[in-house]
Amino acid sequence: MSALTCLLWLICVAVYDFRKRRVPNWLVLSGAILALAAIGFGAQPFGVSWTAALAGAASGFVFLLLFYATGLMGAGDVKFAGALGLWVGLSALAPIWIAASLLAGAHGALWFALQRWALSPRLALVLSGPPSEATGGIAPSRARFIPYAAYLALAAAAWMAWGRQS
């Protein structure tokens, strides 16, 4: 049952991040609490121990914190990576990060190509995300148009379906 809970949480994060280009604290916190409850009640669906979960949370948070510090990533992405680490543990984070980074890279390359060659302005608009309300609908100069948490969530869902079989 808790694998389904994790999957539903991942779907909520992906949809929210794709639509709003942010991951709210309540969504990150609910996933972290659910992961801790699953471990505490012995219902952890992926066989992750307390040690592996805490190591996954710490490494997910700290590693992506470097990207946040340089302005390349939003805080929600960083916090989500920490909460995701609680669910999947340290050993699963590397393949999930690699898959998510490849997806995010493809997103960025497609967005860049559509900016250069306006074959589909509507698709370019979808890839860049909604305009920021804080700037009056004008995209800021350093907009974070890649929904990295959404790609982490998709990669984690794929890992749940296929990656754990080994």
Side-chain angles (χ1 to χ4, degrees):
M1 182 63 177
S2 58
L4 180 60
T5 302
C6 180
L7 183 61
L8 290 173
W9 176 66
L10 293 172
I11 291 168
C12 288
V13 168
V15 168
Y16 204 102
D17 198 24
F18 274 127
R19 293 190 61 160
K20 305 279 187 177
R21 294 303 195 267
R22 58 183 294 274
V23 182
N25 289 335
W26 65 264
L27 193 52
V28 172
L29 190 57
S30 65
I33 290 169
L34 289 168
L36 291 171
I39 296 170
F41 289 116
Q44 215 294 337
F46 313 120
V48 175
S49 68
W50 277 106
T51 306
L54 294 175
S59 62
F61 184 84
V62 170
F63 181 73
L64 293 187
L65 190 61
L66 300 172
F67 292 98
Y68 172 75
T70 59
L72 296 172
M73 189 168 288
D77 300 326
V78 177
K79 292 180 276 189
F80 172 71
L84 179 62
L86 285 173
W87 277 105
V88 302
L90 181 59
S91 64
L93 280 181
I96 290 171
W97 276 334
I98 290 168
S101 296
L102 290 172
L103 290 169
H107 178 122
L110 183 59
W111 178 84
F112 183 75
L114 291 172
Q115 295 299 307
R116 296 277 187 218
W117 304 284
L119 300 173
S120 177
R122 183 172 221 156
L123 180 58
L125 186 61
V126 167
L127 288 174
S128 64
S132 172
E133 294 173 13
T135 59
I138 301 169
S141 60
R142 289 200 46 104
R144 292 181 192 95
F145 60 91
I146 296 177
Y148 193 70
Y151 290 125
L152 276 173
L154 291 176
W159 170 83
M160 285 174 63
W162 297 291
R164 298 182 310 126
Q165 312 311 343
S166 54

